[in-house]
Amino acid sequence: MATLYLFRFDLSSIGRSDNRGCYLRRFRGQGQLEPSWALRRRNVVAVKSVKAFYGGAYGLNDNKTGLICTADELHYVSVPNSDWKLALWRYVPSLRAPSRNHPLLLLSGVGSNALGYDLSPESSFARYMSNQGYDTWILELRGLGLSTTEQIESETLEKQPLVNGSVYENSTSNIATQLRQWNKNLISIIDGAQQLGPFQPFVQGVTSALEEFQEQLDVYEKYDWDFDNYLEEDVPAAMEYIRNQSKPNDGKLLAIGHSMGGILLYAMISRCSFKKVNPQLASVVTLASSLDYRPSNSSLRLLLPLKDPTQNLNVPVFPIGPLLVIAHPLASRPPYILAWLKDQISVEDMLHPTLLEKLVLNGFGSVPAKVLLQLSSVFEEGGLHDRNGTFQYKNHLRQGNIPILALAGDRDLICPPEAVYETVKEIPRQLVSYKVLGKPGGPHYAHYDIVGSRLASSEVYPLVADFLNRHDMV
């Protein structure tokens, strides 16, 4: 059953939630808390009080972590045959914009929540598109951001049935034990680093962050899904829900995917072409995405050494969010021990340091090992394949009939232009438009700069909007 939460929220101050699930706001100069029940169609922010994963979005510094959504509406859609409820951030079309025929779905990269598409009022891909008249939705895949389960909402680990019929035991599982030991070792390393002068400015708060992550390790028992679960279950459930809400005349959606989000769209088109099924997409824009990374020197190859250890240790989840939190100070401040990590996200002067820090500290969660293992096949012969290794997603793009705009960043170390083009060349030429963003003398575009850099709103967003406008026909 889908759920819609609508609350008016004063962003000038952040309060806490009461026991009714209504978010409370504290007025400036006043000590009392007052519930905010007034509903409006526009300029509202939805708030759901649930326990957050560390490294996920928008945790408040109190005992009951609040997850804040900056969209106009927050919707939840249930995934069939699971207990996951996916968060859909909705941005209502501007009344001043032209009327559009199709709603727009935004899909984020691996481990990313909705924040990347709405980093600030000046760097909001979602808000820009809604101001162009599009009913815009950001999907948060299972395990990320505001997507939740009943177990997470309860904030307890009482005995509950799993999907496979087993139950949580009172004693800690082997997997949780492994993760706890890994976490303790990492804390020990951080504590030891404090004895080294150059590291001292960077370790404040890291230990407490890891301890918070450790408190939630038992939840990772449920992190048992792969890329195909996103493709076959999460995205279709979200698309059906959006169609029911927006009611496009032809039943189709427009879609934008960044990084893994674009990979999902390519895979959907390929799978539907093979099955001779209509994907119900009017047109698609992919940002720094490819099904085959082999021709490139992608930094994602750094993940390959994790493959065997992850399988051998049977560790179910890779904590991308917590690790980025730890690495960020070492990458962004003297002596810049991990400076190369910053370049993975944004080139110099393209993203304000405050926004970069906001993205790194709040924009990522933890990812199941199964997802990373399947995505690692982009470096194998034939590119990305399904969980069984029998279906190569790149092989059936030629049979598609969906107009596609594929954008690459000239300084993208994660998905270089060579990787993007390797997929583009498989698409019928009359259906695909390909462009590399960036100029020899600058500005340049790294992996995230395409989505939320200081120039994206003037150079990238209009380009995407023009393409979608041309294909927003019934």
Side-chain angles (χ1 to χ4, degrees):
M1 178 180 296
T3 309
L4 164 66
Y5 296 95
L6 267 178
F7 296 102
R8 184 182 177 185
F9 185 66
D10 183 3
L11 286 177
S12 64
S13 59
I14 298 177
R16 58 177 174 80
S17 61
D18 67 2
N19 56 12
R20 294 173 296 179
C22 172
Y23 212 79
L24 302 179
R25 55 180 180 167
R26 188 183 298 277
F27 293 90
R28 293 181 179 177
Q30 301 179 13
Q32 74 274 16
L33 292 170
E34 178 176 327
S36 180
W37 291 101
L39 299 181
R40 292 194 299 170
R41 175 63 174 169
R42 304 200 46 71
N43 299 323
V44 296
V45 173
V47 177
K48 178 69 174 168
S49 178
V50 296
K51 184 68 175 177
F53 290 118
Y54 182 73
Y58 331 117
L60 301 180
N61 294 322
D62 60 6
N63 292 331
K64 293 184 178 180
T65 303
L67 303 180
I68 301 172
C69 170
T70 52
D72 297 325
E73 299 172 6
L74 175 62
H75 296 242
Y76 278 97
V77 57
S78 296
V79 179
N81 303 316
S82 83
D83 58 357
W84 280 103
K85 292 185 290 185
L86 308 180
L88 281 165
W89 296 34
R90 186 182 195 179
Y91 299 77
V92 180
S94 170
L95 298 177
R96 298 185 297 273
S99 178
R100 305 297 183 183
N101 294 313
H102 299 98
L104 173 63
L105 171 64
L106 307 182
L107 298 174
S108 305
V110 62
S112 302
N113 54 47
L115 181 65
Y117 281 117
D118 193 14
L119 192 57
S120 73
E122 297 77 23
S123 300
S124 177
F125 209 151
R127 189 66 63 185
Y128 180 93
M129 297 309 300
S130 70
N131 287 336
Q132 298 297 307
Y134 288 102
D135 187 7
T136 303
W137 304 72
I138 308 174
L139 170 63
E140 292 190 311
L141 298 165
R142 64 181 74 186
L144 294 169
L146 289 159
S147 293
T148 186
T149 66
E150 292 181 2
Q151 178 205 356
I152 297 172
E153 289 179 333
S154 69
E155 300 186 16
T156 64
L157 289 173
E158 299 173 349
K159 291 183 179 180
Q160 298 181 42
L162 286 170
V163 174
N164 61 8
S166 62
V167 297
Y168 289 108
E169 302 296 338
N170 291 329
S171 60
T172 306
S173 71
N174 291 332
I175 292 175
T177 300
Q178 291 172 342
L179 284 169
R180 280 197 174 87
Q181 187 59 51
W182 176 88
N183 200 51
K184 288 178 180 178
N185 292 341
L186 192 54
I187 291 174
S188 297
I189 293 172
I190 296 297
D191 288 340
Q194 295 186 59
Q195 308 303 318
L196 303 176
F199 284 87
Q200 287 180 341
F202 314 127
V203 297
Q204 185 177 6
V206 171
T207 300
S208 61
L210 288 171
E211 289 173 348
E212 183 178 345
F213 168 67
Q214 181 166 317
E215 290 177 359
Q216 300 175 49
L217 290 179
D218 289 298
V219 177
Y220 292 129
E221 289 267 5
K222 298 178 70 68
Y223 272 53
D224 187 25
W225 63 84
D226 54 23
F227 175 88
D228 285 349
N229 290 117
Y230 293 150
L231 176 66
E232 298 167 0
E233 300 170 19
D234 292 18
V235 176
M239 290 181 63
E240 181 180 4
Y241 182 83
I242 293 170
R243 282 194 294 268
N244 290 336
Q245 293 291 316
S246 298
K247 295 180 171 55
N249 290 335
D250 60 359
K252 295 182 179 180
L253 278 65
L254 301 167
I256 299 173
H258 175 239
S259 195
M260 189 188 74
I263 295 175
L264 282 166
L265 293 173
Y266 280 139
M268 176 177 293
I269 293 172
S270 178
R271 179 69 66 86
C272 290
S273 297
F274 175 74
K275 293 184 175 180
K276 295 182 171 49
V277 174
N278 191 334
Q280 298 298 319
L281 293 167
S283 67
V284 158
V285 178
T286 64
L287 311 171
S289 303
S290 178
L291 296 173
D292 191 340
Y293 283 60
R294 289 175 300 156
S296 72
N297 192 27
S298 169
S299 59
L300 281 182
R301 293 182 185 273
L302 295 173
L303 291 176
L304 292 182
L306 296 174
K307 184 172 182 178
D308 290 338
T310 303
Q311 289 175 321
N312 294 337
L313 291 174
N314 196 30
V315 175
V317 62
F318 190 71
I320 291 178
L323 292 179
L324 285 175
V325 170
I326 294 169
H328 176 66
L330 301 176
S332 59
R333 302 168 195 165
Y336 303 106
I337 297 170
L338 297 177
W340 62 274
L341 282 176
K342 177 184 175 297
D343 295 335
Q344 305 294 313
I345 300 173
S346 178
V347 298
E348 193 71 27
D349 297 329
M350 282 296 276
L351 191 60
H352 191 279
T354 301
L355 294 183
L356 176 62
E357 184 171 55
K358 179 180 179 182
L359 176 67
V360 171
L361 299 185
N362 300 299
F364 300 91
S366 296
V367 180
K370 286 185 177 181
V371 172
L372 296 180
L373 291 174
Q374 188 174 352
L375 287 176
S376 69
S377 66
V378 297
F379 293 103
E380 298 175 6
E381 184 68 28
L384 182 71
H385 56 64
D386 65 358
R387 66 170 64 97
N388 299 319
T390 58
F391 187 88
Q392 310 294 133
Y393 285 108
K394 190 177 73 170
N395 290 348
H396 304 281
L397 287 177
R398 292 187 180 277
Q399 304 168 27
N401 60 356
I402 309 299
I404 298 174
L405 170 64
L407 299 181
D410 65 334
R411 293 287 179 87
D412 191 336
L413 302 178
I414 294 176
C415 187
E418 296 85 1
V420 175
Y421 184 72
E422 186 67 16
T423 297
V424 166
K425 70 182 186 180
E426 299 297 324
I427 304 169
R429 295 184 62 180
Q430 70 274 16
L431 292 175
V432 65
S433 301
Y434 170 63
K435 181 176 178 62
V436 178
L437 300 167
K439 302 176 182 177
H444 301 289
Y445 284 83
H447 195 63
Y448 180 74
D449 293 329
I450 298 177
V451 181
S453 67
R454 64 180 179 85
L455 294 179
S457 61
S458 59
E459 294 189 354
V460 183
Y461 301 171
L463 181 66
V464 171
D466 179 67
F467 176 82
L468 294 179
N469 293 344
R470 286 187 280 111
H471 296 94
D472 182 42
M473 299 175 291
V474 177

